[in-house]
Amino acid sequence: MSELIVALDVSSTAAVEEAVDRLGDAVSFYKIGLELFSAEGPAVVKAVKERGKKVFLDLKLHDIPRTVERAVKSAGALRVDLMTIHASGGKAMIRAAKDAALTFGAAAPKILAVTLLTSLDQSDLDDLGVGRAVADQVRALGTLAVANGADGIVCSPKEVAAMRVALGPDALLVTPGVRPAGAAVGDQKRVATPAQAVRDGSTHLVVGRPILQAEDPYAAALAILAEMKER
Ligand code: C5P
């Protein structure tokens, strides 16, 4: 069963509390990103966890292994459920993140790797001296991450089917860029419907504006959950 994660792209803990309370029992998983965490810190994670919800802390860690290990330990102490690192940090960094997560036993946060930011294209890869095509780089970094202990990757709905084949049945595939049938696409370029994403093998769908900016966020969340079951 795929899970719905609502991206809390708001700027204060008060706005988070209002959104989480409004969505009530419809949503049990929330994403906290760099902007919100930089503004509000661990308090915002605690506010969501105190409401009995799961937290995806999306900080995209990329540093020397020892620093990433310590950051994962700090996040694990906040009882986050999912967190992100950059696969391009390399094998030792990925392993360090996973080993730190495992110290929390049954409560270990799952480690997701970001392969290539979707803001980068082929010319950026060329500038960086990466001599691979975008799709090959995404597959290579995803494979490297999972081979070194990552639980899965973040990827676009357009990459999900190929990454499911490349990474096998157990990898978590977390996909933003999901839009309910007929919804505004906004600045998302590579979108898919919830049913399509689930069908292609996505384990977690990350949805922000289509829910939080809806006139009735609760109804919007229920509609997306229903679409996820239509697979
Ligand atoms: O509002 P929307 O549904 O587009 O929000 C999707 C969330 O996923 C946002 O928090 C956004 O930053 C994140 N994300 C994304 N596309 C990526 C990576 C992350 O939309 N390629």
Side-chain angles (χ1 to χ4, degrees):
M1 255 290 277
S2 303
E3 287 189 82
L4 172 64
I5 302 178
V6 172
L8 289 168
D9 293 325
V10 297
S11 52
S12 70
T13 300
V16 164
E17 289 170 343
E18 192 193 324
V20 174
D21 290 342
R22 196 154 178 209
L23 288 167
D25 57 7
V27 177
S28 56
F29 216 146
Y30 289 91
K31 179 169 89 78
I32 293 172
L34 205 44
E35 182 188 353
L36 180 59
F37 193 75
S38 298
E40 298 284 18
V44 70
V45 175
K46 288 180 189 151
V48 178
K49 292 297 295 187
E50 270 164 15
R51 285 164 167 75
K53 307 298 182 184
K54 291 192 265 190
V55 169
F56 168 16
L57 187 60
D58 185 19
L59 302 181
K60 301 186 179 70
L61 305 178
H62 188 171
D63 210 316
I64 59 170
R66 179 183 146 86
T67 301
V68 168
E69 177 190 331
R70 290 173 163 233
V72 171
K73 284 201 175 141
S74 297
L78 295 172
R79 295 178 297 124
V80 310
D81 300 276
L82 267 184
M83 57 188 299
T84 42
I85 61 172
H86 272 282
S88 54
K91 276 185 201 174
M93 191 204 84
I94 298 163
R95 275 262 147 242
K98 179 62 177 183
D99 289 347
L102 289 176
T103 63
F104 293 93
K110 301 271 193 222
I111 303 294
L112 292 177
V114 173
T115 57
L116 188 66
L117 295 170
T118 46
S119 51
L120 300 179
D121 63 15
Q122 191 63 52
S123 74
D124 293 304
L125 280 192
D126 295 344
D127 290 346
L128 292 169
V130 176
R132 283 196 191 114
V134 167
D136 293 340
Q137 178 71 350
V138 167
R139 194 170 341 100
L141 287 177
T143 305
L144 175 86
V146 169
N148 285 285
D151 297 285
I153 62 165
V154 180
C155 64
S156 96
K158 300 295 178 195
E159 293 161 347
V160 136
M163 293 311 293
R164 174 57 69 211
V165 173
L167 301 181
D170 298 331
L172 302 180
L173 297 178
V174 178
T175 53
V178 174
R179 289 291 176 269
V185 168
D187 55 8
Q188 292 283 7
K189 290 188 184 129
R190 309 183 75 210
V191 298
T193 61
Q196 185 68 48
V198 172
R199 206 156 38 229
D200 285 347
S202 174
T203 56
H204 298 78
L205 275 50
V206 179
V207 183
R209 289 161 292 181
I211 292 176
L212 291 185
Q213 292 180 9
E215 222 164 276
D216 183 345
Y218 186 83
L222 289 186
I224 288 175
L225 287 164
E227 281 195 53
M228 288 167 67
K229 291 193 185 124
E230 271 170 23
R231 49 178 306 208

